[in-house]
Amino acid sequence: MSTTKTYNVRGMHCASCAGIIEKTFKKTDGVQSAEVNPGTETVKVVFDESKTNPHHLSQKIEKLGYTLVFPTAEEMKMSAEEHAGHLGLNQSKKEKLAEVADMRSKVITVIPLAVFSVFVMGWGILADYNVLPKMSDTLYEFLHHLLPLMATYVLFVVGKPYLLGLYRFLRYGEANMDTLIGLGTVAAFLYSFIVSAFEDVLKSLVDVHQTYYDVTIIVIAFIALGKYLEARSKIKTGDAIEKLLNLQTKTALVIREGKEVEVSIGEVVHGDLIVVKPGAKIPVDGVITEGSSFVDESMVTGEPMPVQKKTGDRVVAGTINTSGAFVFKATNVGSETLLAQIIKMVEEAQGSKAPIQALADKISSIFVPTVLIIAFLALGIWLLFGTSTLGFSQAISLGLVAFVSILVIACPCALGLATPTAIIVGVGKGAKEGILIKDAATLEKLHNVDTVIVDKTGTITIGKPTLVYVQNLSNLKDDELVSILASLEKKSEHPIAHAVATYAEEKNITTVDVENFEGIQGKGLKGSINGIEYYVGNAKLINDLSVAFDTSKIEEFTAQGKTPVILATKEKVLGFVMVADEIKAESKQAVADLHKLGIKVVMLTGDDERAAKYMASLVGIDEVIAHVLPQDKLAKIKELQAQGNIVAMAGDGVNDAPALAQADVGIAMGTGTDVAIESAGITLLGGDISKLVKAIKLSKMTMRGIKQNLFWAFIYNIVGIPLAAGVFYPFFGWLLNPVFAGFAMAFSSVSVVSNSLRIKAKKL
């Protein structure tokens, strides 16, 4: 049976590593597909459980220096505290920080040696130009014996990973970044060691005063520093997941046998009554059964203002109770909670690959072997052609410099990190804003969208009927009129009746008992209050009563999409109220912001055309298509796509499912806990259309970051490799010193990660 699993990988740190792991898994019997992400240091494997298993897969890559990290937190039954430390990178945060601390200690030991080597190297260069006096023979001899000792420590202790990379290449034929660094530094060290050991024999062939111990020391120091800064920065890219995980509470105050008992979050079951006190986090999803409060839902929905919650309202795990105490009934626990779904979705999205990464992956797969060939060719060409013009001593010296420089500067780390680091930060930032992105491909598509299709109900409007206008035509006070209406409507199940009853409740208008209640099919209802028979309903009901009534005012409101609810007796009309699905406060500004981004906005609705056009005119929508069924929405999207438009569809994620699936990007307007996370590529928590604008801005920002990263990753190599090979030496005398190559390589990876982290600080 086929199964899909995602595992963290220990030992992976570049695009070449990712390529090696992917290639190894794909060659393994039973593996159907493998997708490695160097940014999150994870591998997603689809395999046949009857033919292979995770332990067998791990054994396949262990000889190459990598290990699958398992069992998972669930399999290990980790505590909430341990789970909260998990970053979604490749270890728990504690382990990752320990690894970074180890790297830091090595950097601290090697940097002083590198500084000393730079000082010695600088003295020698400046002495050649008569800026400084030449070293005394005693000092030269001292350094002649000290530098080899320093280089030996640096190469075999700090540079051990690179030696292992070289060993695995020689044994298994698989090359990665460590191979390049190992081969380059070992070549420099061995050449220097041979020259030092056989100085008298070789002095007639080469310049025995020219050794490269300092290159070995400084290059490894720069690489170690770069990898340390990169690892430290990559931890920061996982901040969003960590913050979401930290929202999970460890315990809950549950009512058991009439008493409040504090239990582990894992012991909470469906139906438990849970007490939440002021300032406490809500442990699981549920419905309030007693009390009321204001709840801060900002970390889940992105909304800054606390939301009022009362009996019957739903609450979400991880949100914070700011004021009063209340009791709620647990409806979703463990992995069922909205917070758990969000964490899972963010982790999966951060681990997914954007289509733009395919280019980097393809180049990375052939990059390291190509670089090895170029390095050996450069050395051979220097020896072949340089010897006749410069002499063997200088030719081998310059050839070795070129060989080492090419291997050092051509690290594919930056190339491998360019896309995933930006995706990790972008998806995390979106989650913080209440924008849930399903995968990297969706995020990439969104930045090209030029047409947004919106549904009216629940997207542009609130999505539920609200009483918006009261017209009193009697001697009754307005509150008395509403009281009679609400008393009658309370007995009806119709959504419009609910709107009237809710209005009365919010205005603290009391209701009274109704006798002889009766529903009138398709028209309204009737009932008696204090011996008077009242009728509530539409214009058809009033016509049946043959009561004289001027309907011009009602027709005016109807044209705006409002629905009349008329109150009458058999003799006269007492008044009417208008019920409408009101436009969301943020809709007008959101449409204006979409226009600023050069995006056309089209509204598709099943409502009356006049009402739809009126609504559209209030918010500035470009085009309105009314009286459409779900299949009509689907046809309209296909029509726009056939015209070459990139279409995003924003809907409620249920009725609009066919249209959401057809659109280039489907956007579900999720309302609080009622989120169909799987229904669309992007879910906007809270149903706030202004988040649609933020989502598009985030997509553009992330893609811009990726393109900048790829540019710098490519430019380092496009410029650096020819310079290191000595292409410009015959014309300008330019040759890249391995020390500067090491600095450039380290800086390229750090700059890519740092550029991705800039996305976190930008305002949407």
Side-chain angles (χ1 to χ4, degrees):
M1 188 179 76
S2 175
T3 186
T4 303
K5 293 278 188 180
T6 300
Y7 295 101
N8 299 310
V9 183
R10 187 175 286 121
M12 177 172 66
H13 45 248
C14 72
S16 295
C17 296
I20 291 168
I21 295 165
E22 270 189 15
K23 187 168 67 175
T24 305
F25 280 165
K26 285 175 180 177
K27 286 180 180 177
T28 304
D29 186 39
V31 174
Q32 294 159 20
S33 70
E35 187 177 287
V36 180
N37 189 313
T40 53
E41 297 171 13
T42 58
V43 57
K44 184 178 181 181
V45 196
V46 180
F47 60 94
D48 187 338
E49 290 179 301
S50 65
K51 294 182 179 179
T52 189
N53 59 67
H55 293 278
H56 178 243
L57 293 174
S58 186
Q59 288 169 3
K60 284 283 185 180
I61 58 173
E62 278 171 12
K63 63 183 181 181
L64 303 174
Y66 314 106
T67 313
L68 292 186
V69 180
F70 51 81
T72 62
E74 288 76 17
E75 290 167 338
M76 290 175 70
K77 296 181 180 177
M78 290 170 69
S79 68
E81 183 175 4
E82 289 170 319
H83 186 242
H86 180 66
L87 271 181
L89 296 175
N90 73 344
Q91 294 135 307
S92 73
K93 186 178 181 183
K94 186 177 179 182
E95 288 174 323
K96 192 68 183 175
L97 289 173
E99 182 183 307
V100 171
D102 180 60
M103 293 170 74
R104 181 174 179 268
S105 65
K106 286 180 179 176
V107 167
I108 288 171
T109 61
V110 80
I111 288 297
L113 302 181
V115 170
F116 180 75
S117 300
V118 169
F119 170 74
V120 174
M121 181 189 289
W123 190 341
I125 293 169
L126 292 174
D128 289 340
Y129 289 95
N130 298 318
V131 176
L132 290 175
K134 289 192 178 292
M135 294 182 192
S136 65
D137 291 342
T138 305
L139 180 59
Y140 175 80
E141 281 300 315
F142 172 72
L143 295 176
H144 189 63
H145 292 90
L146 178 63
L147 282 175
L149 294 174
M150 289 167 52
T152 302
Y153 164 76
V154 172
L155 181 63
F156 290 95
V157 178
V158 182
K160 185 180 177 181
Y162 313 120
L163 295 178
L164 290 173
L166 179 57
Y167 164 75
R168 293 185 189 110
F169 168 64
L170 295 173
R171 180 165 181 182
Y172 303 110
E174 295 289 358
N176 62 8
M177 182 203 82
D178 290 350
T179 306
L180 299 180
I181 305 303
L183 186 57
T185 51
V186 166
F189 180 85
L190 284 178
Y191 174 84
S192 304
F193 181 79
I194 291 167
V195 167
S196 300
F198 304 101
E199 187 175 328
D200 293 335
V201 177
L202 297 172
K203 66 170 57 174
S204 60
L205 297 172
V206 298
D207 182 1
V208 294
H209 298 291
Q210 182 67 56
T211 57
Y212 297 99
Y213 293 119
D214 47 8
V215 168
T216 302
I217 295 165
I218 298 168
V219 165
I220 289 177
F222 273 139
I223 303 301
L225 176 61
K227 288 185 74 172
Y228 162 67
L229 294 174
E230 177 192 313
R232 197 175 69 170
S233 298
K234 279 173 73 177
I235 285 181
K236 293 178 183 177
T237 64
D239 283 351
I241 287 286
E242 184 184 11
K243 285 176 182 176
L244 287 169
L245 285 163
N246 286 336
L247 288 176
Q248 296 175 320
T249 53
K250 301 170 190 174
T251 60
L253 202 58
V254 180
I255 298 175
R256 297 268 169 91
E257 297 178 359
K259 295 181 180 178
E260 293 181 7
V261 182
E262 189 171 20
V263 301
S264 165
I265 193 69
E267 296 176 47
V268 177
V269 296
H270 294 99
D272 269 342
L273 291 176
I274 301 169
V275 179
V276 182
K277 296 183 177 179
K281 285 181 182 176
I282 295 166
V284 295
D285 295 356
V287 178
I288 295 178
T289 58
E290 182 185 331
S292 63
S293 184
F294 283 86
V295 175
D296 179 359
E297 297 183 331
S298 58
M299 269 306 292
V300 176
T301 65
E303 302 295 339
M305 293 296 293
V307 181
Q308 186 174 15
K309 299 286 183 179
K310 55 187 183 300
T311 302
D313 287 342
R314 303 190 72 167
V315 289
V316 179
T319 56
I320 301 169
N321 178 26
T322 62
S323 50
F326 60 84
V327 178
F328 76 94
K329 183 179 180 180
T331 57
N332 297 317
V333 300
S335 61
E336 304 167 348
T337 66
L338 175 66
L339 180 60
Q341 290 180 62
I342 290 172
I343 291 169
K344 182 184 175 185
M345 187 176 186
V346 172
E347 284 182 327
E348 287 179 351
Q350 288 186 339
S352 63
K353 286 187 178 182
I356 196 172
Q357 193 174 338
L359 174 65
D361 287 349
K362 192 171 182 180
I363 292 171
S364 296
S365 66
I366 58 171
F367 191 76
V368 173
T370 304
V371 167
L372 285 169
I373 292 167
I374 292 171
F376 280 106
L377 276 175
L379 177 59
I381 289 168
W382 273 107
L383 289 174
L384 186 63
F385 296 102
T387 302
S388 59
T389 55
L390 302 171
F392 179 76
S393 177
Q394 192 173 0
I396 194 171
S397 178
L398 294 175
L400 187 64
V401 166
F403 179 79
V404 175
S405 296
I406 290 168
L407 294 175
V408 170
I409 200 170
C411 167
C413 260
L415 197 59
L417 293 170
T419 299
T421 52
I423 293 293
I424 291 167
V425 176
V427 169
K429 186 177 179 68
K432 191 176 179 182
E433 295 279 352
I435 302 163
L436 301 185
I437 298 157
K438 194 172 185 178
D439 53 42
T442 299
L443 188 64
E444 181 175 335
K445 281 182 195 171
L446 188 59
H447 93 288
N448 285 322
V449 163
D450 55 31
T451 305
V452 169
I453 291 180
V454 293
D455 182 36
K456 180 176 78 70
T457 306
T459 303
I460 296 297
T461 64
I462 292 170
K464 62 180 181 179
T466 308
L467 196 155
V468 295
Y469 180 80
V470 178
Q471 178 68 62
N472 191 349
L473 303 173
S474 69
N475 295 325
L476 296 169
K477 292 179 181 177
D478 287 355
D479 284 2
E480 290 174 337
L481 182 80
V482 173
S483 175
I484 295 168
L485 265 172
S487 300
L488 290 157
E489 295 284 29
K490 269 178 70 176
K491 291 185 169 288
S492 172
E493 295 298 321
H494 197 283
I496 289 177
H498 181 70
V500 175
T502 301
Y503 177 84
E505 187 181 325
E506 290 173 351
K507 297 290 184 182
N508 294 318
I509 297 171
T510 56
T511 55
V512 293
D513 292 334
V514 177
E515 297 176 344
N516 305 319
F517 178 84
E518 183 184 332
I520 304 169
Q521 186 68 35
K523 296 175 184 178
L525 53 87
K526 69 176 181 177
S528 298
I529 297 175
N530 298 327
I532 301 173
E533 190 172 53
Y534 293 99
Y535 293 82
V536 176
N538 55 27
K540 288 181 183 178
L541 179 62
I542 305 305
N543 288 336
D544 289 350
L545 292 172
S546 300
V547 176
F549 178 49
D550 180 7
T551 60
S552 59
K553 188 78 171 176
I554 285 181
E555 287 170 359
E556 182 184 325
F557 281 120
T558 304
Q560 298 172 5
K562 298 179 174 67
T563 302
V565 180
I566 306 166
L567 175 65
T569 62
K570 283 186 178 180
E571 292 78 28
K572 62 178 180 178
V573 172
L574 301 176
F576 62 88
V577 297
M578 301 306 299
V579 174
D581 184 6
E582 284 194 291
I583 291 171
K584 291 178 180 176
E586 65 273 9
S587 292
K588 186 174 182 179
Q589 186 59 50
V591 172
D593 289 340
L594 287 170
H595 286 155
K596 286 178 185 175
L597 293 171
I599 294 170
K600 180 182 178 181
V601 184
V602 179
M603 184 166 79
L604 298 184
T605 179
D607 287 356
D608 174 74
E609 186 173 2
R610 283 194 308 166
K613 285 187 173 179
Y614 175 77
M615 288 282 194
S617 68
L618 294 179
V619 295
I621 285 172
D622 302 299
E623 184 181 348
V624 177
I625 302 170
H627 299 299
V628 291
L629 298 171
Q631 58 265 36
D632 298 324
K633 293 181 181 180
L634 186 66
K636 181 61 181 177
I637 290 174
K638 286 182 178 178
E639 180 188 324
L640 287 166
Q641 289 172 329
Q643 294 168 4
N645 294 299
I646 309 297
V647 181
M649 166 74 187
D652 60 16
V654 181
N655 298 331
D656 298 316
L660 288 169
Q662 177 62 38
D664 295 287
V665 180
I667 301 167
M669 306 296 290
T671 53
T673 56
D674 300 323
V675 178
I677 286 181
E678 297 300 322
S679 69
I682 292 176
T683 301
L684 307 180
L685 293 178
D688 185 349
I689 193 174
S690 65
K691 287 177 183 171
L692 172 55
V693 181
K694 288 184 176 181
I696 293 171
K697 285 182 177 177
L698 177 65
S699 174
K700 290 181 181 292
M701 196 183 292
T702 305
M703 290 309 299
R704 189 162 54 245
I706 289 171
K707 287 172 182 176
Q708 288 168 350
N709 287 348
L710 287 172
F711 170 79
W712 287 113
F714 280 123
I715 210 73
Y716 277 116
N717 291 311
I718 290 168
V719 174
I721 291 176
L723 182 61
V727 171
F728 303 107
Y729 186 81
F731 310 103
F732 308 107
W734 296 348
L735 193 64
L736 186 67
N737 189 296
V739 170
F740 294 108
F743 174 78
M745 190 283 274
F747 183 73
S748 67
S749 296
V750 175
S751 63
V752 160
V753 178
S754 300
N755 188 52
S756 295
L757 287 170
R758 286 173 59 238
I759 297 169
K760 288 173 71 175
K762 290 185 177 179
K763 188 176 180 182
L764 291 177

